[in-house]
């Protein structure tokens, strides 16, 4: 292996390593531009994302000495980036001494040698264009090959992220359907699943949960009451107080729910913890295990506050709803008894939803 080959391999390994941690499209685009400047020694690098709904290319990431292109939009057919996107070649190479008239130039920027590498999925779908430029030295065939490989590596990463997002959306839709299956039995609780999922996401952000933790919390919110599918209508919809035997049967819904959710392939233990433990109490007087304080899974402690607030502020067969301020007062009163005080403090401090003084 020649020295040039070893250098090229090192460059590609550096790029691949940087892309391994990327979780969203914007991270991939930023890494591609940043690493292109660093590894290819270019003056600048731009990523133009294709927006199919508008049929335009838009600069969504940049690195190097071009600091004023972010957000710039090119309609179909305008400029060299579109020429590369619509052309058959893996890289379009424009030399500064022979720039064609359709190559757009920015005022005050010296002529550049420029490379354009389109990113296309395996099905031929345009994802964007990676472009780099410099005044000197001219780009060599090796630079073209490297940029083409950069684009291919970026494409693979973007496809991975796209497929993961699509799988997550499909999974989330399936979880929502399970939650709605319970609501279909009881008109009084319709909307509870969607509201608790949305509130859980807001509370998770307020408490600084990472995206993975927030996803587990959302999944737990979708599934928290799925065990009530096993509770007879006569108990679930009873308008008056439950007898001790009925209450004991109702409380078993968390164990039944955990058993059902455990059968979903790949369900994380954090989600099982929400389903099983969201009726535990900070003071240890909850069910099914009588856990107290921080022995209760953290996500279950978070969801408990969300679940109770939504239940208090909406109609139930056995009582009328409370106003939001009255429900918040109740949560404050139960901080340190039923609820984790830190969670209550974060929940009652959530930003306003709309006009008026009502929080959360």
């Amino acid at each position: 292996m020649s020295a040039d080959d070893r250098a090229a391999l090192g460059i590609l390994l550096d790029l691949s390593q940087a892309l391994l941690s990327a979780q969203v499209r914007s991270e991939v685009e930023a890494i591609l531009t940043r690493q292109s400047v660093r590894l290819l020694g270019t003056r600048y690098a731009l990523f133009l994302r294709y927006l199919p709904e508008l049929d335009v290319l838009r600069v969504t990431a940049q690195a190097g000495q071009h600091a004023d292109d972010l957000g710039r939009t090119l309609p179909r057919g305008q400029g060299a980036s579109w020429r590369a996107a619509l052309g058959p070649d893996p890289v379009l190479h424009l030399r500064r001494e022979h720039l064609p008239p359709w190559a757009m130039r920015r005022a005050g920027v010296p002529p550049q040698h420029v490379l354009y590498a389109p990113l296309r999925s395996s099905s031929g779908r345009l994802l964007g264009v990676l472009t780099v430029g410099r005044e000197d030295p001219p780009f060599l065939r090796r630079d073209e090959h490297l940029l083409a490989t950069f684009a291919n590596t970026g494409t693979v990463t973007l496809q991975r992220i796209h497929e993961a997002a699509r799988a997550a959306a499909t999974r989330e839709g399936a979880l929502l359907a399970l939650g709605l299956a319970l609501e279909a039995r009881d008109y009084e609780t319709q909307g509870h699943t969607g509201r608790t999922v949305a509130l859980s996401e807001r509370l998770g952000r307020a408490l600084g949960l990472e995206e993975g933790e927030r996803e587990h919390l959302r999944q737990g919110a979708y599934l928290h009451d799925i065990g009530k599918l096993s509770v007879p209508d006569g108990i679930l919809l009873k308008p008056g107080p439950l007898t001790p035997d009925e209450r004991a049967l109702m409380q078993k819904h968390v164990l039944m729910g955990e058993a059902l959710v455990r059968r979903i392939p790949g369900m994380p233990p954090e989600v099982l913890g929400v389903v099983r433990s969201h009726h535990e109490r900070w003071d240890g007087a909850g069910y099914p295990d009588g856990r107290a304080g921080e022995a209760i899974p953290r996500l279950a402690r978070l969801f408990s506050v969300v679940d109770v607030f939504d239940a208090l502020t909406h109609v139930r067969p056995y009582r009328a709803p409370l106003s939001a301020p009255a429900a918040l007062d109740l949560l404050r009163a139960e901080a340190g008894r039923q609820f984790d005080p830190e969670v209550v403090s974060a929940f009652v401090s959530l930003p306003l939803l709309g006009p008026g003084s009502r929080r959360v």
Side-chain angles (χ1 to χ4, degrees), residues 114-136:
V114 192
L115 300 178
Y116 302 83
L119 283 74
R120 300 187 184 91
S121 71
S122 55
S123 63
R125 180 170 58 94
L126 178 64
L127 304 177
V129 177
L130 177 62
T131 176
V132 297
R134 67 188 180 202
E135 296 176 54
D136 280 307

Side-chain angles (χ1 to χ4, degrees), residues 93-355:
H93 185 170
L94 299 183
R95 294 165 176 81
R96 68 176 187 173
E97 62 272 15
H98 300 299
L99 291 176
W102 42 262
M104 301 174 63
R105 290 180 52 187
R106 300 296 298 272
V109 178
Q112 308 279 312
H113 301 285
V114 192
L115 300 178
Y116 302 83
L119 283 74
R120 300 187 184 91
S121 71
S122 55
S123 63
R125 180 170 58 94
L126 178 64
L127 304 177
V129 177
L130 177 62
T131 176
V132 297
R134 67 188 180 202
E135 296 176 54
D136 280 307
F139 288 115
L140 304 176
R141 181 74 59 152
R142 171 180 176 273
D143 298 314
E144 294 180 20
H145 290 161
L146 281 173
L147 191 68
T149 306
F150 279 24
N152 290 337
T153 305
T155 297
V156 171
T157 307
L158 288 172
Q159 287 188 289
R160 168 179 63 79
I161 290 172
H162 174 74
E163 292 302 322
R166 188 168 67 174
T170 300
R171 183 186 185 92
E172 193 133 333
L175 297 183
L176 175 60
L178 287 172
L180 296 180
L182 175 63
E183 293 184 11
R185 294 180 61 198
D186 180 10
Y187 179 79
E188 304 286 351
T189 63
Q190 288 190 2
H192 176 67
T193 299
R195 291 191 302 268
T196 56
V197 170
L199 275 176
S200 294
E201 174 69 16
R202 293 179 61 199
L203 180 58
R205 289 183 181 276
L207 286 166
L209 266 61
E210 299 292 336
E211 170 57 31
E213 293 178 294
R214 297 201 308 273
E215 181 178 352
H216 295 155
L217 182 58
R218 288 196 305 272
Q219 291 175 353
Y222 282 123
L223 297 171
H224 71 282
D225 271 345
I226 197 66
K228 286 183 178 178
L229 290 172
S230 66
V231 177
D233 284 350
I235 297 176
L236 184 66
L237 307 180
K238 186 175 181 179
L242 299 179
T243 67
D245 286 345
E246 290 171 338
R247 181 169 297 280
L249 183 57
M250 175 69 87
Q251 290 180 353
K252 288 182 180 178
H253 82 273
V254 294
L255 300 177
M256 179 60 71
E258 182 193 29
L260 289 172
V261 174
R262 193 179 293 278
R263 297 175 69 89
I264 300 176
M267 191 56 62
E270 292 85 355
V271 178
L272 297 173
V274 173
V275 175
R276 182 184 182 100
S277 300
H278 68 280
H279 283 292
E280 300 286 4
R281 291 174 52 106
W282 185 256
D283 60 10
Y287 66 89
D289 303 308
R291 294 185 177 188
E294 294 185 358
I296 305 169
R298 187 187 184 201
L299 298 186
R301 303 199 308 266
L302 269 65
F303 183 73
S304 174
V305 174
V306 169
D307 188 40
V308 170
F309 175 81
D310 188 77
L312 289 173
T313 53
H314 290 83
V315 174
R316 287 293 183 268
Y318 45 86
R319 58 153 180 78
L322 296 179
S323 67
L328 292 175
D329 287 342
L330 192 151
L331 294 182
R332 291 187 187 95
E334 288 296 318
R337 293 191 294 184
Q338 183 172 352
F339 306 115
D340 181 337
E342 178 188 0
V343 175
V344 171
S345 177
F347 187 82
V348 301
S349 300
L350 288 177
L352 298 176
L353 272 181

Side-chain angles (χ1 to χ4, degrees), residues 19-30:
L19 287 172
L20 278 176
S21 61
Q23 299 297 319
V24 296
R25 182 165 56 175
S26 58
E27 290 180 346
V28 176
E29 297 165 357

